[in-house]
Amino acid sequence: MKKLRVAIIGIGKIGISHLKAIKAIEPLGYAELAAICSLNPNKIKSLCDDYDIPVWYTSYQEMLKSESLDLVHNCTPNVLHYDVNRGILEAGLYDLSEKPLTIDSQQSGALVALAKNRHLKTAVNFVYRYYPIIMHIKELISKGELGTIYSIHGTYLQDWLLFDHDYDWRVESRYGGPSRALADIGSHWIDIAEFLLDRRVESIAADLATFIPKRIRSPSETIIVDTEDFASVLMRFEGGIHGCLTVSQVSAGRSNGISFEIDGSIASLRWSQEHPERASLKYREEEELFIDEKGTISLANELEENKEANAGASKQERFLEAQQRMIDNFYRSIVFDDVPIYADFEQGHRIVKIIEAAIESNQKERWIHSRHEGS
């Protein structure tokens, strides 16, 4: 059995999440974390000691040249995604990239073409697909249990950038790209919608807003914010399905809240990360039902009576478990030819084009086609 030799480029918060997931997969025997790369030598040396990682680098180019690798995780800031992903693919390695895939569709399209030319499997870290409940919802929809789907609507709300002294590199387009809230978290919601409905976004109408135009980067520096805090988006999907999304990183009390509701001709279904272990299923003039992580459907009051038994892991633990399942599916698709559930670079490219369409729509104040042909 082949054992994948894996490396990570970029060891920030999300890079650490990838690292922990890889180390959890290592005992299964088909992957090992061979190297990590970061500009901070003290941090990565400490991580190598803590997690028994053989070697570290401060130059990803040197790592790609020196190490015998099979697969690399790209966890760098957005503006570096294209150059780093291109370097990984040109080295003939499988590539798992953080989202957004790139900051514009010319770059993402070039990566799709390069991966196809090199016959390399790729993935984008749209992790919410891997919540067990999401899989059950997809099955319900595909079996027609909700009837004809009319619409999907929902939110992704955070508050970590609520105040002017809340600074992160993502608020500046020179680091994060021209879109922030929509590209950073709205992309997750759009991916879930397309995944569940098995329909692409065809056109979009967007209203973007920056409520905090200046932010305090340091006691002696204030920067001008050129990315959005908020986005309100209307979407039209293939097959006549309509969508509506609200995204915000300045919604007080919402630490990380993604939710959606799907309306069909027979029933509606709602899921929220506030209760990631269940989804609400409702029919007209009937009692509310819940579907749990095992796919079991029961009356709402029955679930409430057994809520302690159904509680399971915390929200953070469930996210980390989903991250591990996503990475594991990518690895197994390479080693064992397992069926891929993950989003690949083509899906990442489509979402980059949707984000671009939203930016154009906001500027021109009209509907814009998402131009997914040929992706």
Side-chain angles (χ1 to χ4, degrees), residues 85-93 95 111 114-115 118 120 122 345:
N85 284 325
R86 184 182 63 185
I88 293 167
L89 295 173
E90 287 179 342
L93 307 176
D95 190 350
L111 292 178
L114 179 57
R118 299 295 181 95
L120 293 168
T122 59
F345 275 19

Side-chain angles (χ1 to χ4, degrees), residues 2-211:
K2 178 178 176 58
K3 178 180 285 191
L4 295 173
R5 284 179 55 81
V6 179
I8 304 173
I9 302 173
I11 305 293
K13 182 179 179 180
I14 192 64
I16 295 295
S17 176
H18 284 238
L19 186 156
K20 291 179 178 178
I22 297 166
K23 297 303 288 186
I25 292 168
E26 275 188 341
L28 300 176
Y30 46 82
E32 61 178 333
L33 184 54
I36 57 175
C37 178
S38 172
L39 295 177
N40 185 335
N42 293 328
K43 180 177 183 178
I44 52 175
K45 184 179 184 303
S46 175
L47 287 170
C48 285
D49 293 339
D50 292 343
Y51 288 94
D52 193 26
I53 302 166
V55 65
W56 55 269
Y57 292 83
T58 55
S59 164
Y60 78 87
Q61 295 94 337
E62 182 183 350
M63 184 181 75
L64 295 177
K65 181 179 179 181
S66 302
E67 291 295 316
S68 176
L69 300 170
D70 299 295
L71 186 153
V72 180
H73 294 234
N74 179 5
C75 300
T76 61
N78 300 355
V79 294
L80 299 178
H81 284 185
Y82 173 67
D83 286 338
V84 175
N85 284 325
R86 184 182 63 185
I88 293 167
L89 295 173
E90 287 179 342
L93 307 176
Y94 303 114
D95 190 350
L96 194 164
S97 177
E98 268 303 319
K99 48 77 202 164
L101 177 56
T102 58
I103 61 171
D104 67 56
S105 61
Q106 183 175 354
Q107 292 180 346
S108 58
L111 292 178
V112 170
L114 179 57
K116 284 184 176 180
N117 183 55
R118 299 295 181 95
H119 305 289
L120 293 168
K121 290 187 177 182
T122 59
V124 180
N125 194 37
F126 288 121
V127 70
Y128 288 103
R129 293 184 180 205
Y130 286 86
Y131 278 68
I133 195 70
I134 298 297
M135 300 299 182
H136 293 306
I137 294 170
K138 184 172 177 64
E139 184 178 11
L140 283 177
I141 294 170
S142 65
K143 289 181 175 180
E145 297 293 333
L146 304 186
T148 300
I149 303 301
Y150 295 145
S151 66
I152 181 168
H153 43 94
T155 61
Y156 201 149
L157 308 177
Q158 299 177 332
D159 69 356
W160 67 295
L161 293 171
L162 179 61
F163 303 120
D164 64 358
H165 59 264
D166 294 324
Y167 175 81
D168 181 84
W169 57 262
R170 292 170 179 83
V171 306
E172 297 188 68
S173 64
R174 59 177 173 162
Y175 301 125
S179 172
R180 186 207 336 145
L182 192 57
D184 186 32
I185 57 176
S187 59
H188 276 298
W189 193 97
I190 295 168
D191 177 70
I192 287 180
E194 290 199 334
F195 177 68
L196 290 175
L197 302 176
D198 198 23
R199 297 288 187 274
R200 295 182 182 181
V201 173
E202 288 189 320
S203 57
I204 194 164
D207 175 39
L208 311 182
T210 303
F211 299 122

Side-chain angles (χ1 to χ4, degrees), residues 296-366:
T296 303
I297 297 176
S298 58
L299 289 170
N301 58 4
E302 294 175 355
L303 191 71
E304 185 66 22
E305 290 171 1
N306 297 294
K307 62 181 180 180
E308 289 188 7
N310 288 301
S314 67
K315 287 191 292 184
Q316 180 61 20
E317 288 170 335
R318 280 190 168 88
F319 181 85
L320 293 174
E321 289 169 358
Q323 179 69 87
Q324 182 177 329
R325 284 191 288 268
M326 184 270 147
I327 293 172
D328 189 51
N329 181 220
F330 186 45
Y331 290 1
R332 292 183 65 87
S333 76
I334 296 167
V335 177
F336 303 114
D337 204 29
D338 279 15
V339 175
I341 301 170
Y342 54 83
D344 61 10
F345 275 19
E346 288 196 38
Q347 172 67 357
H349 174 48
R350 285 200 297 272
I351 290 187
V352 170
K353 290 199 286 186
I354 291 169
I355 302 303
E356 286 184 333
I359 294 170
E360 184 180 352
S361 171
N362 178 69
Q363 292 170 342
K364 296 182 177 179
E365 298 185 335
R366 64 177 177 85

